[in-house]
């Protein structure tokens, strides 16, 4: 550490869920890519974030669990 950690999430393709997830990674220099599912019901996100410790990674997953319908990979 520090290292770049890759987070992967799938959320319902709803503005509220997407906005909530994006706010978790705001101002952290994250490189974020996204892709809609074929049915357009879900959107997947990949975030590359410079992380200082394992504790930071675990904390980010805990915060993300508050997003309704999120699937963490």
């Amino acid at each position: 550490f520090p290292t770049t950690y890759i987070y992967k999430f799938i959320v319902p393709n709803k503005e509220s869920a997407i906005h909530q997830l994006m706010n978790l990674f705001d101002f952290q220099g994250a490189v974020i890519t996204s892709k809609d599912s074929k049915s357009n019901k879900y959107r997947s996100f990949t975030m590359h974030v410079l992380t200082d410790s394992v504790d930071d990674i675990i904390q980010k997953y805990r915060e993300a669990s508050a997003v309704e319908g999120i699937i963490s990979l």
Side-chain angles (χ1 to χ4, degrees), residues 50-61:
L50 185 62
T51 306
D52 292 324
S53 71
V54 172
D55 293 333
D56 291 345
I57 295 168
I58 293 168
Q59 180 61 32
K60 193 57 71 177
Y61 277 115

Side-chain angles (χ1 to χ4, degrees), residues 21-57:
L21 180 62
M22 291 295 100
N23 283 341
L24 292 176
F25 292 91
D26 202 15
F27 303 113
Q28 293 189 347
V31 177
I32 301 172
T33 57
S34 67
K35 182 179 177 183
D36 291 333
S37 66
K38 290 182 183 181
S39 65
N40 209 32
K41 290 183 180 180
Y42 298 95
R43 184 176 288 181
S44 65
F45 289 89
T46 302
M47 287 94 160
H48 297 255
V49 181
L50 185 62
T51 306
D52 292 324
S53 71
V54 172
D55 293 333
D56 291 345
I57 295 168

Side-chain angles (χ1 to χ4, degrees), residues 9-13 17-18 21 41-43 45 67 69-71:
F9 301 102
I10 299 172
V11 295
N13 203 357
I18 293 168
L21 180 62
K41 290 183 180 180
Y42 298 95
R43 184 176 288 181
F45 289 89
V67 178
I70 195 167
I71 300 169

